[in-house]
Amino acid sequence: MPTPTPGWLGSPTPDYLGPTWRSRRIYLRDDDGGAPRGRTEFAVLVHEVDAEQLVAASGMAALWIPGFVDTFFHVEHAAAWREANVALVGLDMRRAGRALIGRHRDDVRDMSVRNEEIGRAIEVLRAWGAKKVILIGHSTGGLQVPLFAAANPGAADALILNSPWFDHNGSDLQKKQLTALVDRLGARLPLLRIGKLDPAYARRLHVDFGGEFRFDPAHKPLDSEPVLAGFFRGVRRAQARLAAGLHITAPILVAHSSASGNPTKPSDAELDSTDVVLNVEDMVRLAPRLGPNVDLLAVPGGRHDLSLSPGPARAFYTERTISWALDNASTATRY
């Protein structure tokens, strides 16, 4: 019998990822000051046509949380999870990807506001029959996921953090004085542009620039995107909470590239085989602050999004993370 649809969940519609993929809106209520006036905010759940049946049969589901200026398009990665009888479902969060309203991409001023859509998405997976839910967070999503887990004990059974953004990748001056300055500016002028995201990494991935992957540039831009003061302020405050300790008891895997690359002028080789966005040393250093049950996975030759790395690194990451999830989520105790 089909699962009853709650009022905040839209109907599935065809998605550009292919004939077997669907997307549906999750309508939201919470606001951190960044919601466009007069518009109902939503996130977008992306899943295969038979995801509900697969979840009901296996009792397990994985939820993918993208990063900054990012979206879910990981069809190949989802196929690997499917082979393990786990449905991988994507979540484009409010003001980003498929859920962008207006022109201010990722205008999120308090990271905790996105806990609403993560919680709603997990409600859907539980209603489908998921006894075990694995949260996978990439980059900014890798910061969002542990914050959610700390605020909602027992909501998820295991966490995989794919190159998580635990600290600002910059000098001590930027980490201290710049953070203090933007903390004041971001509160008053949240839409102030304080930097920009270089498009070199995204272009290296896309088929139109010789990459292996197809995604909609309206959801993951191939041109430079601004970094807003309110967003940076919210991220730095969230990172401070993580650094102070989150005390998550669920099992956590922190996966990272084996090396960091040049974040300002990366070579083609660095774009292909290192993390050119974040510093892997920050991930390793701060991982113990998550909780008592943390494993580390270094991926030789991994890109920033490890699941989009060149073939050998991608296969290594995929096999190791799925194996870890099956072992750890199956033995995790909900509390």
Side-chain angles (χ1 to χ4, degrees):
M1 180 179 295
T3 303
T5 302
W8 44 262
L9 182 63
S11 300
T13 59
D15 191 82
Y16 80 91
L17 293 183
T20 67
W21 286 90
R22 299 291 183 268
S23 56
R24 59 200 309 176
R25 291 182 176 184
I26 297 174
Y27 293 98
L28 307 168
R29 295 179 300 178
D30 295 347
D31 183 24
D32 62 348
R37 292 182 180 179
R39 305 286 294 274
T40 299
E41 286 208 290
F42 57 89
V44 178
L45 204 64
V46 187
H47 58 84
E48 292 192 86
V49 173
D50 62 347
E52 181 174 350
Q53 291 75 22
L54 181 58
V55 172
S58 69
M60 187 175 291
L63 181 66
W64 178 279
I65 310 298
F68 173 60
V69 189
D70 203 359
T71 185
F72 177 78
F73 58 92
H74 299 66
V75 173
E76 178 186 303
H77 197 59
W81 281 92
R82 187 183 185 88
E83 288 183 8
N85 295 317
V86 180
L88 179 64
V89 176
L91 179 65
D92 277 12
M93 294 185 289
R94 73 185 73 198
R95 307 171 204 160
R98 296 168 177 82
L100 177 64
I101 301 176
R103 61 188 180 89
H104 299 301
R105 193 181 301 273
D106 278 291
D107 176 18
V108 177
R109 305 169 190 187
D110 183 342
M111 296 285 287
S112 64
V113 75
R114 282 176 165 172
N115 286 353
E116 181 183 9
E117 50 259 50
I118 297 175
R120 290 296 197 193
I122 291 175
E123 283 187 53
V124 173
L125 299 179
R126 296 290 186 194
W128 287 355
K131 297 177 175 61
K132 301 292 181 180
V133 172
I134 304 146
L135 289 182
I136 306 172
H138 167 58
S139 196
T140 310
L143 173 63
Q144 188 80 56
V145 161
L147 292 173
F148 171 85
N152 298 273
D157 300 281
L159 315 180
I160 296 174
L161 309 183
N162 170 356
S163 303
W165 191 12
F166 286 166
D167 201 355
H168 174 61
N169 187 12
S171 65
D172 285 343
L173 177 67
Q174 292 176 338
K175 290 182 177 181
K176 295 175 183 177
Q177 284 90 332
L178 175 63
T179 292
L181 174 61
V182 176
D183 194 72
R184 295 192 296 271
L185 285 174
R188 298 181 179 183
L189 301 169
L191 297 180
L192 178 68
R193 300 184 177 195
I194 61 169
K196 62 181 181 179
L197 183 68
D198 190 276
Y201 171 69
R203 291 182 178 183
R204 193 69 177 177
L205 301 174
H206 200 273
V207 290
D208 287 354
F209 290 86
E212 297 183 65
F213 305 99
R214 294 185 182 277
F215 53 85
D216 189 339
H219 302 155
K220 182 178 177 68
L222 297 174
D223 295 315
S224 177
E225 282 291 316
V227 178
L228 303 177
F231 170 78
F232 188 76
R233 177 179 185 264
V235 167
R236 293 298 284 152
R237 289 189 161 212
Q239 290 170 341
R241 293 200 297 274
L242 186 150
L246 294 180
H247 312 291
I248 301 167
T249 59
I252 303 171
L253 178 65
V254 176
H256 58 85
S257 175
S258 57
S260 302
N262 188 324
T264 55
K265 294 183 178 180
S267 65
D268 288 348
E270 287 176 312
L271 285 166
D272 286 340
S273 62
T274 68
D275 192 328
V276 299
V277 179
L278 300 178
N279 189 326
V280 300
E281 293 181 1
D282 291 333
M283 304 172 201
V284 174
R285 173 174 55 86
L286 289 164
R289 307 305 299 162
L290 297 169
N293 193 6
V294 179
D295 295 320
L296 293 170
L297 176 67
V299 179
R303 277 184 174 132
H304 177 52
D305 186 339
L306 298 162
S307 68
L308 304 179
S309 300
R314 184 160 80 236
F316 177 89
Y317 166 78
T318 300
E319 188 278 326
R320 295 296 181 91
T321 51
I322 293 176
S323 177
W324 179 92
L326 295 178
D327 288 344
N328 285 272
S330 62
T331 58
T333 301
R334 298 191 70 200
Y335 53 96

